[in-house]
Structure formats: C-alpha cells, structure tokens
Amino acid sequence: MNYSQLSRGIILPLLTALVLPLVQGSQILRFEGVNPNLGVIGLMMLAVMVAGYLRFFIFSAFLIFLLKIIPGFELESAALLGVALFMKLFQGVAPWSSFAAPAFSVIMGTTIFYAIGDYSFIIGEPGFFLKELLYNLILGVFAHLGLSVIYEEAR
C-alpha cells in the first residue's frame, strides 16, 4: 500500500472520525443558534471515503463513540448507527449523480436521526429543525466537493 492509498484509505477517514467530534463539541461552527450535526455529515463522508462494509462500520462506530457525551449506549447512538448503515447502502445503489446522492444522504440522515432519537424536536421546533437541516446540507455538499477534489487528484 503506497502513501496515497494509505492516506485515502486510513488516514483521511481516521482524521474525519477524530476531528469532527472535537469540532462538534466545541460548537465553533454554531451559526444563528444552530450547531450542525457533524455526526451525520461525518457518516456521509465516511460512506464516500471508506471501501467495504466492515471498515466503514469500524470507522463509523469510532466516530459515534467519540461523539458521545454520556457513557453507555443510548437511542441517539443507535440512531446514528442506523443512519450510517442507510448511508453506506444508499451510496452503493443511488441512481443519481455523485452530487445528489450525498446531499440526499445528509437530508435523510438528519431526518432519520431526529425521527429516532428525538422526534419531538422535529414536531416542536420545525423551523429550527429546517435550519439545521439546511446547514447540514450546505456543509455536507461542501465536504463532498472537497472529497471529490481529493479523490479525483489521486486517480
């Protein structure tokens, strides 16, 4: 395995799984009271970057573990694992362009996460939920564009 393969196959996904939880916790990307769900965005990025379901599951579980604030396994962790599985399966079968599939993954991932983890947020705060959904979508699209450049240059 040469350095390019190592960096794209292990180092970049590992950095994604390490850095995004730190940024999420710092709330440095908080805008207009909305903190993006970097867990969902990170899972979309991992679905694009990581080949193979087992490696994807390992990186996803690591990301979810680092996002945790409360010890133990709670509903939000299960929701994120479900989102991760959805995203990886969807990436493999999406009939759309490479741009639309990750965008749809972020929209569905955010919605599934809150539908399972805290559905009252969607119902009780629909305007705030839509703001976060839009913010996640914008960040997810830019993250995907960045990944596209990195992976295209490696070809």
Side-chain angles (χ1 to χ4, degrees):
M1 181 178 282
N2 64 31
Y3 177 73
S4 178
Q5 291 170 325
L6 179 67
S7 66
R8 286 181 289 123
I10 295 173
I11 295 172
L12 191 56
L14 184 60
L15 283 174
T16 298
L18 285 170
V19 171
L20 288 183
L22 293 174
V23 174
Q24 179 80 36
S26 74
Q27 297 189 5
I28 195 167
L29 295 177
R30 187 176 198 84
F31 180 73
E32 296 286 324
V34 177
N35 200 32
N37 191 328
L38 297 180
V40 170
I41 295 166
L43 292 172
M44 179 276 299
M45 292 171 67
L46 290 173
V48 171
M49 286 188 283
V50 178
Y53 288 99
L54 180 60
R55 284 183 51 205
F56 173 72
F57 177 78
I58 291 168
F59 280 114
S60 296
F62 185 59
L63 174 100
I64 292 166
F65 173 76
L66 292 178
L67 281 168
K68 294 179 55 53
I69 297 170
I70 303 167
F73 190 81
E74 71 282 335
L75 195 54
E76 287 80 8
S77 295
L80 276 176
L81 279 174
V83 166
L85 178 62
F86 166 79
M87 286 182 171
K88 187 62 176 175
L89 292 172
F90 187 73
Q91 285 298 121
V93 299
W96 310 318
S97 71
S98 63
F99 173 78
F104 184 75
S105 288
V106 169
I107 291 169
M108 290 305 298
T110 302
T111 305
I112 291 168
F113 174 73
Y114 284 114
I116 294 171
D118 186 12
Y119 67 90
S120 63
F121 176 65
I122 298 172
I123 296 167
E125 302 272 350
F128 200 79
F129 170 73
L130 290 174
K131 280 185 192 178
E132 182 177 321
L133 186 66
L134 181 61
Y135 195 18
N136 289 348
L137 179 61
I138 291 167
L139 290 178
V141 165
F142 279 113
H144 185 263
L145 288 172
L147 288 175
S148 298
V149 169
I150 290 169
Y151 281 81
E152 190 62 35
E153 286 178 0
R155 287 184 185 174

